[in-house]
Amino acid sequence: MRPSTQRAFLASILAATLGVAVSGCAPAVLGGAVIGSMVALDRRTSGSQLEDEGIELRSGSRIREQLGDRVHVNIASYNRQVLLTGEVPNDKDKQQVEQIVSRVDNVRTIVNELAVLGNTTFAQRSSDALVTGRVKAGLIDAKDLYAGAFKVVTERGVTSLMGRVSLREADRATDIARSTT
């Protein structure tokens, strides 16, 4: 191969490689922008948000390790306050889940709303997700509320709101959640 042909060949390989490398960065850049804006819209510090995420992940992992698939537990943490929702087969498991979560670092308080029931169906969980979405949309539509200040959880048709808000904001958000069907 002649040197000029060889250079052209190497240049085209380099361009193709850079094209692939740069295209791989686009999702990372966009993902970083989305995460960055989510952090900015929350009233908690980024450290507090990270701590809450860690509480949720560690709690879920420990519950799965010790209780497996016989329980359906959702963990929501906001400012180190943990809300447990879902279903467990008996009171012993309900207490065990709470004990597991209480041993996770940085957990301040636990609200145990676990029900002693069989696991909800896919249709029930889908309905709960739809209600959560509607409540979130109602909070976004409310011009007098900062929707990013709320975490919304719906389980078995019961919607819970968590957040760092004023009494007026809490009352207004509660009215929105109650009127959402």
Side-chain angles (χ1 to χ4, degrees), residues 10-31:
L10 288 174
S12 65
I13 296 238
L14 179 61
T17 303
L18 286 175
V20 170
V22 170
S23 68
C25 289
V29 169
L30 291 174

Side-chain angles (χ1 to χ4, degrees), residues 15 48 56-57 90 147:
S48 184
E56 292 173 2
L57 293 171
N90 55 55

Side-chain angles (χ1 to χ4, degrees), residues 15 21 43 47 50-51 55 74-75 81-82 88 98 102 104 111 142 144 162 168:
R43 288 185 178 164
L50 188 60
E51 193 171 76
I55 288 170
N74 298 307
I75 303 116
Q81 296 179 7
V82 177
V88 294
E98 187 170 336
S102 71
V104 172
V111 177
D144 60 334
M162 301 172 79
R168 185 203 64 79

Side-chain angles (χ1 to χ4, degrees), residues 1-15:
M1 208 184 261
R2 291 186 353 215
S4 63
T5 307
Q6 190 176 15
R7 276 194 302 265
F9 178 71
L10 288 174
S12 65
I13 296 238
L14 179 61

